[in-house]
DNA sequence: ACATTGACCTGAGAGC
DNA sequence: TGCTCTCAGGTCAATG
């Protein structure tokens, strides 16, 4: 689930729930999710601290601990956050549970355990180390930077959009939506697209992602012209009288309308 | 340089 | 009802 819009919603959720409360305890339930850090070190980094800020870069969430270090959360395919007081509200695949002094808990839940939890003193260098490109929603991201990063190579445009090293934050389903809204064939060669199509993709990237954030990433609340709520082969295209087809692009199932996307 | 495949994990849903 | 099969919104490494 968690692509840029979902992680942005988690960021706001964290901000509006767990901020500025003292952490009294942290419990870990799946060691494999820890990345380059031991349970002990993370435990001692968390205890006694408060979450004081939350930033997002691509699909990564950075939660500041007393403004001195960052808890880094990546959600894999199935991760999410939950804040609750009643232990009955605890979700079923908790990997990390933080207890606060007000009696509430914050859980990082990840059913398939494909996410990662880490710690860093410096967010910028962490991002750099991972080789991530600029965030897709970064206000500073200009068309020319976007073009330089995305419109090169012989690969397909959908793969380029999903490549976190080029632009961070776009995953399988939002790549499909962006290309559907831009009217571009997901298999088109990234390096062969003309200026107009690239501009359309750039514009739709911002538009689709911000629309998704506004709608809380609930597909049922997306505009009627969106393809995301209709991700099945044979579904009616929301823009023409054709129908949606499923194909594989870089191994990922891709839904698109062959009539609208050339 | 790029596409493809399989691996990492677990569970939901389809089909029988 | 229960079994088996396929698939899932992410990423990485190995292979062609």
């Amino acid at each position: 689930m968690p692509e840029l819009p979902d992680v942005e919603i988690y960021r706001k959720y964290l901000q509006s729930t767990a901020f500025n409360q003292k952490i009294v305890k942290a419990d870990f339930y799946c060691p494999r999710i820890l990345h380059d850090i031991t349970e002990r070190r993370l435990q001692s980094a968390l205890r006694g601290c408060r979450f004081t800020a939350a930033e997002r870069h691509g699909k990564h969430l950075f939660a500041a601990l007393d403004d001195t270090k960052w808890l880094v959360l990546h959600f894999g395919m199935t991760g999410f956050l939950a804040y609750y007081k009643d232990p009955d509200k605890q979700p079923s695949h908790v990997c990390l549970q933080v207890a606060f002094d007000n009696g509430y808990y914050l859980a990082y839940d990840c059913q398939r355990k494909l996410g990662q939890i880490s710690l860093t003193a410096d967010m910028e260098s962490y991002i750099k180390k991972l080789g991530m490109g600029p965030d897709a929603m970064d206000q500073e991201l200009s068309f020319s930077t976007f073009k330089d990063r995305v419109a090169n190579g012989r690969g397909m445009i959908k793969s380029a959009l999903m490549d976190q090293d080029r632009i961070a934050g776009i995953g399988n389903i939002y790549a499909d939506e962006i290309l559907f809204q831009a009217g571009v064939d997901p298999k088109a060669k990234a390096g062969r697209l003309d200026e107009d199509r690239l501009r359309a993709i750039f514009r739709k990237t911002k538009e689709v992602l911000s629309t998704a954030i506004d709608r809380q990433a609930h597909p049922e609340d997306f505009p009627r012209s969106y393809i995301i709520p209709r991700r099945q082969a044979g579904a009616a295209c929301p823009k023409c009288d054709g129908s949606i087809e499923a194909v594989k692009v870089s191994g990922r199932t891709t839904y698109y309308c062959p009539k609208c996307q050339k």
Side-chain angles (χ1 to χ4, degrees):
Chain A
M1 186 185 338
E3 299 184 32
L4 187 151
D6 309 277
V7 179
E8 179 61 16
I9 289 158
Y10 300 162
R11 188 185 71 79
K12 290 176 177 163
Y13 179 77
L14 182 69
Q15 218 165 35
S16 64
T17 56
F19 263 32
N20 298 316
Q21 299 150 31
K22 193 170 177 180
I23 295 169
V24 293
K25 193 164 173 270
D27 290 306
F28 297 88
Y29 303 95
C30 41
R32 75 177 314 279
I33 217 146
L34 298 183
H35 181 69
D36 281 348
I37 188 158
T38 63
E39 193 174 314
R40 272 171 60 100
R41 267 193 59 213
L42 203 44
Q43 174 78 248
S44 70
L46 286 165
R47 198 179 314 196
C49 287
R50 298 161 198 268
F51 289 119
T52 47
E55 301 286 338
R56 184 192 54 70
H57 188 98
K59 303 173 188 173
H60 288 257
L61 180 59
F62 295 83
L65 293 160
D66 286 355
D67 294 325
T68 59
K69 58 211 163 199
W70 300 88
L71 178 68
V72 186
L73 302 174
H74 184 272
F75 297 91
M77 300 262 264
T78 52
F80 64 93
L81 297 176
Y83 182 78
Y84 49 90
K85 186 168 197 175
D86 181 354
D88 290 349
K89 299 267 174 60
Q90 184 189 64
S92 20
H93 313 278
V94 174
C95 296
L96 165 63
Q97 180 177 261
V98 171
F100 299 102
D101 65 353
N102 63 357
Y104 277 77
Y105 300 94
L106 178 74
Y108 166 99
D109 184 291
C110 194
Q111 180 197 110
R112 286 173 67 188
K113 304 181 185 354
L114 297 175
Q116 285 187 336
I117 296 178
S118 187
L119 189 75
T120 184
D122 180 2
M123 190 170 82
E124 293 306 322
S125 65
Y126 189 90
I127 291 166
K128 202 170 171 185
K129 194 179 72 191
L130 287 185
M132 270 190 280
D135 184 82
M137 288 292 282
D138 185 349
Q139 300 286 329
E140 316 257 296
L141 176 62
S142 66
F143 173 65
S144 75
T145 305
F146 181 85
K147 180 178 162 184
D148 288 347
R149 295 189 149 265
V150 171
N152 57 54
R154 285 171 292 171
M156 298 179 277
I157 182 61
K158 177 170 175 182
S159 313
L161 281 177
M162 291 201 301
D163 182 349
Q164 304 301 298
D165 295 353
R166 297 170 185 250
I167 298 290
I170 302 167
N172 195 34
I173 70 160
Y174 286 100
D176 281 2
E177 189 67 64
I178 289 162
L179 292 171
F180 177 68
Q181 295 302 328
V184 175
D185 182 346
K187 291 197 171 193
K189 302 281 182 233
R192 293 269 179 80
L193 290 166
D194 62 37
E195 186 88 359
D196 284 354
R197 296 188 156 247
L198 286 169
R199 283 203 183 274
I201 294 168
F202 177 65
R203 195 162 55 81
K204 291 300 181 182
T205 295
K206 306 268 185 185
E207 186 187 296
V208 164
L209 296 176
S210 70
T211 300
I213 294 166
D214 288 347
R215 315 283 167 109
Q216 296 295 306
H218 293 150
E220 64 275 18
D221 296 330
F222 285 5
R224 275 213 297 273
S225 62
Y226 274 39
I227 199 178
I228 287 176
R230 299 166 187 75
R231 286 178 71 77
Q232 48 186 0
C237 171
K239 291 193 173 178
C240 77
D241 60 0
S243 60
I244 303 304
E245 278 186 20
V247 292
K248 292 276 183 192
V249 173
S250 320
R252 309 300 301 279
T253 305
T254 298
Y255 295 90
Y256 81 117
C257 173
K259 272 179 91 171
C260 295
Q261 295 171 259
K262 303 285 184 189

